[in-house]
Amino acid sequence: MSFLLVILTGSVLLTLPICQTANSQATYLDNLFISVSAVCVTGLWTESIYDSYNILGQIVMVILIQTGGLGLMTIVGSIYHSMGQSFGLKNQIAMGEAINSSERTHLGSFLSRIIKYTAVIESTGALLLTFFFVPLLGFKKGIWNSIFTAVSAFCNAGFDAIGNNSFVDYQTVPILNWTVMALIVLGGIGFSVWFDVAQQWGHFRNKTNGRNIKFYIQHLMPHTKLVLIMTGTVILSGVILFLMAEWNNSSTIGNLSVGNKIMTAFFQTITMRTAGFSTVDYTLVKPVSLLVFVCTMFIGGGPGGTAGGLKVTTFALTILLAVREVRQTKYVNFAHRTVPDAIMRSAFTIALMYILTLLIGSGLLLTFDPEAGYLKLLFEAISALATVGVSAGLTPTLSIASHWILMLLMYMGRIGPMTMIMSLGKKSKTYDVRYSETDIIIG
């Protein structure tokens, strides 16, 4: 409900004439779509941000992106804590679930640290981006675009305010590419990972004087290790596959130097995990690259951050569950710890619901716009559900019905399909019943 409230408020504000350019063609449905995309930190649009909204409209968008990235409950909770107020148990549980955190005792300080870390990281990113935007656009416009891009990148939103081609024209600019990549990764690995890495780094330096890196790695939480391992694996795999597919494609990276090819491959893989910026034209990449992108978007980033997708931990646990069944072992172990069955069941259920939601959503898009082709519609559907925001040039041309489907997918992707379904369902009033066992043939 908090996300829905912000979305509707944003759509009304973006519709006001004072937020739009003189030549804006955006209707209320366009403004609603963009508000959903901004709050759900996706990046899809039906009308150009650059052509539709003036500086005031872009400020509204930054507020929507920041609120959607951190979550309204996180922002309100941190303000509440800063006023010296304490949380009741019910609110602690609700906010803990909202930010995917098991933290309860020091939840208020946890929320405040999220705001502080976010401010520092986004400010640093904006400062670095000024070295590119100010010479390009002038002082005032350059400063504003640096702030807009830093917030959008950290929140994994994928919006930019410099044109309609994202960063395709700046494919070989290192300061822009690497800064945006760093912001995307920092926003997407999850807040709890930040704090664990920072806390253990302090212990590492105090106890070993920075000389025993093994001590540092051993004391990271298993969750942190899994997120970092999976993040590195997904990125490196995506880079290798992209380079293999596009190395000689003159329409994408074929004419670039080796260094720029590698930088572009890293940018596309990182942004595909959940951010939505682009330095290549997706209508010109090979079909196999689109398929790789679909897989990358499906996996997504880390839980408890600004990333979307299934989440790397959920994907990893689902794979480990399959391995357990193949090996016929009793437990799922990681980092010398056993993962409880309840968590494994939740991971499998979330993965199943995510796949079903994607299939239904892409099927509906194919029903309303069959001429677009299934691969490209699947690309748009997973881009919306995983809150990535990249497009193969289809979103503005799709039917109104498809726009509503994409809005629903973005909304479900941001709050989670399971959250959506559970909030609409009714709790069972019956107790768990166990009958005599039976055999069902599978496989």
Side-chain angles (χ1 to χ4, degrees):
M1 291 303 296
S2 65
F3 278 100
L4 187 60
L5 174 64
V6 177
I7 287 170
L8 294 176
T9 303
S11 68
V12 172
L13 292 175
L14 291 176
T15 306
L16 297 176
I18 58 173
C19 290
Q20 300 196 0
T21 62
N23 299 321
S24 174
Q25 301 295 316
T27 65
Y28 177 73
L29 183 60
D30 295 318
N31 297 321
L32 176 62
F33 188 97
I34 291 170
S35 181
V36 172
S37 187
V39 175
C40 297
V41 290
T42 305
L44 291 174
W45 46 266
T46 53
E47 285 290 332
S48 165
I49 306 303
Y50 179 77
D51 296 328
S52 300
Y53 304 115
N54 56 26
I55 185 66
L56 184 57
Q58 292 175 17
I59 290 174
V60 171
M61 284 200 62
V62 166
I63 295 172
L64 294 176
I65 291 169
Q66 191 75 84
T67 304
L70 297 181
L72 183 62
M73 292 179 69
T74 301
I75 296 173
V76 172
S78 64
I79 295 173
Y80 194 72
H81 173 72
S82 67
M83 295 171 62
Q85 303 296 319
S86 58
F87 301 107
L89 180 60
K90 185 177 180 180
N91 288 331
Q92 287 180 22
I93 295 173
M95 278 189 255
E97 292 293 333
I99 60 175
N100 284 45
S101 172
S102 59
E103 180 68 55
R104 294 289 184 272
T105 308
H106 305 290
L107 181 62
S109 60
F110 185 84
L111 296 175
S112 297
R113 281 191 293 163
I114 290 176
I115 301 298
K116 291 175 183 177
Y117 272 64
T118 298
V120 170
I121 294 171
E122 288 180 348
S123 298
T124 304
L127 179 62
L128 292 173
L129 290 171
T130 58
F131 291 100
F132 169 72
F133 282 114
V134 170
L136 178 70
L137 304 172
F139 184 77
K140 290 184 179 180
K141 199 171 181 180
I143 293 293
W144 169 243
N145 275 272
S146 298
I147 296 171
F148 188 101
T149 304
V151 173
S152 181
F154 179 78
C155 292
N156 286 210
F159 285 107
D160 66 86
I162 62 173
N164 299 324
N165 297 319
S166 192
F167 299 140
V168 173
D169 297 333
Y170 313 107
Q171 187 181 45
T172 59
V173 180
I175 186 68
L176 174 65
N177 281 256
W178 291 110
T179 301
V180 169
M181 280 189 270
L183 288 168
I184 292 169
V185 172
L186 288 172
I189 61 174
F191 305 130
S192 60
V193 173
W194 295 353
F195 302 144
D196 186 37
V197 168
Q199 182 180 13
Q200 296 306 326
W201 180 257
H203 293 166
F204 164 62
R205 295 188 65 183
N206 291 334
K207 293 186 177 182
T208 69
N209 294 321
R211 289 193 292 268
N212 187 359
I213 193 67
K214 186 177 180 181
F215 174 90
Y216 175 61
I217 295 174
Q218 286 178 339
H219 285 77
L220 291 173
M221 294 189 304
H223 168 79
T224 301
K225 293 178 183 178
L226 186 58
V227 169
L228 295 178
I229 290 171
M230 286 300 301
T231 296
T233 301
V234 171
I235 291 175
L236 289 177
S237 300
V239 168
I240 293 170
L241 292 173
F242 180 82
L243 288 174
M244 290 173 61
E246 301 293 328
W247 188 271
N248 294 318
N249 186 351
S250 58
S251 298
T252 55
I253 64 172
N255 297 326
L256 300 179
S257 65
V258 173
N260 285 329
K261 285 181 179 180
I262 294 173
M263 181 173 70
T264 302
F266 268 100
F267 189 94
Q268 291 311 131
T269 303
I270 288 173
T271 194
M272 275 296 170
R273 291 180 62 240
T274 180
F277 296 103
S278 63
T279 55
V280 298
D281 186 343
Y282 296 122
T283 63
L284 301 177
V285 301
K286 295 181 179 180
V288 67
S289 295
L290 287 181
L291 184 59
V292 171
F293 291 158
V294 166
C295 295
T296 306
M297 288 189 285
F298 178 83
I299 296 172
T306 61
L310 178 65
K311 302 298 190 297
V312 290
T313 49
T314 306
F315 178 78
L317 291 181
T318 305
I319 298 299
L320 290 175
L321 178 62
V323 171
R324 183 187 77 172
E325 295 303 313
V326 170
R327 292 180 175 177
Q328 293 294 298
T329 55
K330 190 173 181 180
Y331 304 108
V332 172
N333 300 319
F334 175 76
H336 303 290
R337 296 291 189 277
T338 296
V339 183
D341 283 343
I343 294 179
M344 299 305 302
R345 289 195 300 270
S346 295
F348 176 78
T349 304
I350 291 171
L352 179 61
M353 296 307 302
Y354 207 83
I355 293 171
L356 289 176
T357 303
L358 175 61
L359 291 176
I360 293 171
S362 59
L364 290 173
L365 292 179
L366 187 62
T367 301
F368 296 122
D369 292 276
E371 69 284 351
Y374 186 67
L375 181 57
K376 288 189 176 181
L377 288 175
L378 178 64
F379 186 83
E380 301 287 316
I382 188 60
S383 178
L385 181 62
T387 68
V388 179
V390 293
S391 174
L394 282 185
T395 302
T397 65
L398 295 176
S399 63
I400 292 177
S402 289
H403 287 163
W404 280 104
I405 297 301
L406 290 176
M407 281 191 277
L408 182 59
L409 287 174
M410 287 188 285
Y411 183 65
M412 293 183 70
R414 185 64 185 94
I415 66 173
M418 278 293 294
T419 302
M420 182 79 171
I421 294 168
M422 289 174 66
S423 67
L424 297 177
K426 294 182 179 180
K427 293 183 178 180
S428 175
K429 295 182 180 180
T430 61
Y431 295 100
D432 287 337
V433 178
R434 176 166 180 156
Y435 296 104
S436 56
E437 294 183 356
T438 187
D439 291 328
I440 295 179
I441 300 173
I442 60 174

